[in-house]
Amino acid sequence: MSIMYSGGCSVPSFSSISVSNSSRQRLPNRIICSAGASVAERKAVNTSEPLLLNAVRGKDVERPPVWLMRQAGRYMKSYQTLCEKHPSFRERSENVDLVVEISLQPWKVFKPDGVILFSDILTPLPGMNIPFDIVKGKGPIIFDPVSSAADVDKVTEFTPEEWVPYVGEALTILRKEVNNEAAVLGFVGAPFTLASYVVEGGSSKHFSKIKRLAFSQPKVLHALLQKFTTSMAKYIQYQADNGAQAVQIFDSWATELSPADFEEFSLPYLKQIVDTVKQTHPNLPLILYASGSGGLLERLPLTGVDVVSLDWTVDMAEGRKRLGTDIAVQGNVDPGVLFGSKDFITNRINDTVKKAGKGKHILNLGHGIVVGTPEENVAHFFEVAKGLRY
Ligand code: CP3
């Protein structure tokens, strides 16, 4: 496989990508003016599939699609400006207009191949009777951490349309705005990772509270995990029904578990979510991310997801081999690389894409963009990535 740039001496081939004019339908959209009159909007509705979906499905693509975890956020000046006006994270992430505006900030500047909803894995918690806040400098705070069977009993089943209608509305608007030029991505937290916040009361270093629960009262933790499983499966279905074209499941802290404990406290619940969603949405790609997952890699495809997202502590070529050829991979450039020189960034992108091989690869970082990352380096990352050709 050779990698080249579109500006180089080799002419890039566009033939493998299905964006022919015949597949674009011109459907006049009816919009209502404030005066009440109806006018025909001459916006073409693009019915071709986004590159990211074609890549996941193993179709012939000209380059790997690219988006970056946490591509909306504090490293962007436009986000910082908006934070001054709206200092509450809950407000920024629970108001349709703000959610749409923030989700579109990186889209407008970098044109990634995936546009992720601006939200948080903790956003559904109040809808399960678990109030929380995210405080600058402190991170997530759960006001009444769960520690007993009685606390688990109080956790209610999540009904997304009732508790987070702004998520559905925002996804629907994003689909129209992005118009299949990129895939609109939804996401949820995995049961174990959600439980770790809810039991620890926030972020944690040693995960001692959730381990105390797991290793002394496993039935109580299993009851909590089952509640999150049922609710998150419903939440994925809700996101897909309202416009998400792929959904990423974040099990960021599952790798705090030993492989045997992962098999007891995370894997069966992830599998149950995937099985439930695949029954109603068989074609919805599901991406699984767990940070530091090197020791668990062979177990991750057992969940049934379509894509495994690797962090940078795994060599991409070795990761591919260990995961098998059926599954697609995402990742896995070290977010710290974005603090490097432009040449260094270019080299690491090339190295990753080469090691991932042709197709079934979504280029991404191995975890979220770090606050303080120079925006121009993010721009460089996208420019290089989008200029690649297999
Ligand atoms: O990728 C994107 O651009 C979408 C936005 C997104 C956020 N959170 C916004 C956010 C996504 C995908 C998440 C997921 C999330 N939230 C995860 C899984 C991903 C991972 O990093 O492993 C986790 C563990 C959380 C919980 C959480 N929320 C943490 C640990 C923090 C950081 C706390 C802090 O004070 O920095 C948050 C807050 C949060 N969520 C921020 C953003 C942009 C930063 C705070 C802010 O912008 O005000």
Side-chain angles (χ1 to χ4, degrees), residues 70-72 74 79 89 92 116 119-120 197 250 252 367:
R70 294 275 174 103
Q71 65 192 9
R74 285 199 186 277
Y79 182 75
F89 181 84
R92 291 197 293 281
I116 189 162
S119 185
D120 200 87
Y197 281 100
F250 283 98
S252 305
H367 204 160

Side-chain angles (χ1 to χ4, degrees), residues 99-109 115 174 177-178:
V99 169
V100 169
E101 185 179 347
I102 299 169
S103 307
L104 290 177
Q105 282 177 342
W107 166 245
K108 284 178 178 155
V109 184
V115 175
L174 288 174
E177 288 288 328
V178 174

Side-chain angles (χ1 to χ4, degrees), residues 90 94 120-132 142 152-167 194 198 227-228 230-232 234-235:
R90 294 272 318 257
E94 296 179 19
D120 200 87
I121 58 166
L122 307 179
T123 299
L125 292 184
M128 290 182 273
N129 199 22
I130 307 172
F132 83 101
I142 309 296
V152 174
D153 279 346
K154 287 187 217 142
V155 177
T156 53
E157 196 174 311
F158 183 49
T159 43
E161 50 288 333
E162 186 186 335
W163 284 92
V164 295
Y166 51 86
V167 166
L194 290 176
V198 163
K227 285 189 169 184
F228 286 151
T230 308
S231 291
M232 289 309 108
K234 266 172 86 179
Y235 193 26

Side-chain angles (χ1 to χ4, degrees), residues 67-74 79 83 89 92 116-122 134-140 187 193 197 203 250 252-253 289 291 367-368:
W67 70 280
L68 303 184
M69 281 189 257
R70 294 275 174 103
Q71 65 192 9
R74 285 199 186 277
Y79 182 75
C83 286
F89 181 84
R92 291 197 293 281
I116 189 162
L117 172 81
F118 183 76
S119 185
D120 200 87
I121 58 166
L122 307 179
I134 290 178
V135 179
K136 202 178 171 188
K138 281 198 180 157
F187 68 92
T193 291
Y197 281 100
S203 299
F250 283 98
S252 305
W253 310 130
Y289 175 79
S291 62
H367 204 160

